Amino acid sequence: PPDPAPGTEDQAVAREEKEQLRRLIAELPEEQRDALGLTQLEGKSYQEAAALLGVSEGTIKSRVNRARTRLKEQMEETGKPPERRTRA
């Protein structure tokens, strides 16, 4: 049988990674999720996000940084083969 269309496997992997990222974002603490969503998904500036959430710009930066760090760690963790994953 012929090979599947070029890029089909890559597209499936990309979809899987996006879904995983959505799940991980949903698991973030609400404050981090809100700050990340406003600045990274909606394109608001830190200043705009701070005004919308009623906190300082520094607080937004901190929440976004913590969210990014947590997501990166979780993505790296879930990317490991099952036998190498550590328990949290």
Side-chain angles (χ1 to χ4, degrees):
D3 286 338
T8 303
E9 186 175 336
D10 291 340
Q11 290 172 349
V13 169
R15 278 193 304 273
E16 192 174 303
E17 288 175 350
K18 284 180 183 179
E19 183 54 37
Q20 177 186 20
L21 185 56
R22 282 189 201 105
R23 284 192 306 269
L24 293 175
I25 289 171
E27 294 173 5
L28 289 171
E30 184 177 1
E31 293 175 338
Q32 291 177 17
R33 190 172 58 244
D34 289 347
L36 188 73
L38 286 171
T39 59
Q40 304 305 301
L41 302 176
E42 294 186 26
K44 304 284 186 203
S45 69
Y46 291 130
Q47 184 177 12
E48 290 169 323
L52 287 167
L53 297 176
V55 297
S56 73
E57 189 174 336
T59 297
I60 293 296
K61 289 178 181 180
S62 176
R63 289 177 182 175
V64 169
N65 185 55
R66 284 195 302 258
R68 285 179 178 160
T69 299
R70 185 172 179 159
L71 290 172
K72 181 180 180 219
E73 289 170 354
Q74 290 176 324
M75 290 293 284
E76 288 172 352
E77 181 69 20
T78 57
K80 293 179 184 176
E83 66 275 3
R84 297 198 57 190
R85 289 185 185 159
T86 58
R87 296 195 185 267

